[in-house]
Each structure stands twice: as C-alpha cells, then as structure tokens.
Amino acid sequence: MRKIILALAVLYPAAAFAQTAAPANPPTVGGKPLVQVGSKKAAAGKKEAPAKPLSAAQKLQACQDIDDGTKERLSCYDAVYTPQPKAKAAAAKSVSDCRYVKEEDERLTCFNGFADKIPKLPR
C-alpha cells in the first residue's frame, strides 16, 4: 500500500508538469505541422468576420438620410439600382422598375415613393 501511495506521489506531479510545459517544436508529420484544434495562437491571429452585406431595402433607407431632391440622393439610389432608361417607361410597380424612368426628377420621385413605404429595418 505504501508503494502505491509513493508511486502516485511521484507520478502525479510529473504528469501535471508534463501537461503545462509547451513543446519546443510543434509536432510534424512529413515536414508539415499537425493541425491543432483550438490553439491560442490560431485564435489570436484570426480576423473578425466581415460585416453582412446590406440588403437593397437597407441601402435605400440609407439613401433617405441624404437631403431630399438632391443629385447626391439620386446618385445613391442609382448605386443600388443602376439606371437603364427607356424611351417609354411603364408605370413602376416595384422599386426596381424606377431605374427605367428616363427623367432624373421623375426617377428620384419614383425612388422616394417606394423608399418611404419600406418599413423601418434595424441597422
């Protein structure tokens, strides 16, 4: 019984010491380092995830922050929906149909009408 207690007293601290000491060189297989899941170095070097891209509705609401009736607001809308003017554009049934309106003032009014109807989304 004394021998078992003595063996445990010697081996237990040695096992604890072996777990805390970091190896000098990471283990390799075929010259390539092993993959270590959850290592502290990999977590520290990891970059933040990129922000989610905004939806078209959120982009249109962002354009609402620009002064009304200005070229900047129309340019903002045009960045969301690239203008493709047609000679005879039909009445717009959705916000994406506003890009077909040829006259800039009418296109701005069309975009404003639909952007005002969008429910406020979280930013």
Side-chain angles (χ1 to χ4, degrees):
M1 181 72 168
R2 288 183 183 173
K3 290 182 182 182
I4 294 174
I5 294 174
L6 181 63
L8 287 176
V10 171
L11 294 179
Y12 184 74
F17 179 74
Q19 291 178 0
T20 58
N25 294 327
T28 59
V29 174
K32 296 182 180 179
L34 291 174
V35 177
Q36 296 179 356
V37 179
S39 67
K40 293 179 182 178
K41 291 180 182 177
K46 194 181 262 189
K47 295 181 180 179
E48 292 183 26
K52 285 184 171 181
L54 296 176
S55 68
Q58 289 172 327
K59 290 177 185 177
L60 290 174
Q61 283 184 341
C63 293
Q64 290 284 328
D65 295 339
I66 301 172
D67 291 333
D68 190 19
T70 60
K71 179 74 174 166
E72 289 81 22
R73 185 183 271 195
L74 181 62
S75 297
C76 183
Y77 287 142
D78 288 344
V80 178
Y81 291 106
T82 308
Q84 299 172 350
K86 292 185 177 179
K88 292 185 179 180
K93 295 181 182 177
S94 69
V95 69
S96 61
D97 292 339
C98 293
R99 67 176 137 185
Y100 301 123
V101 178
K102 188 173 185 178
E103 183 64 35
E104 290 183 355
D105 292 335
E106 292 175 14
R107 190 165 70 238
L108 181 62
T109 304
C110 180
F111 278 124
N112 282 336
F114 283 106
D116 290 338
K117 293 178 186 176
I118 298 172
K120 297 298 178 197
L121 301 172
R123 292 186 181 194

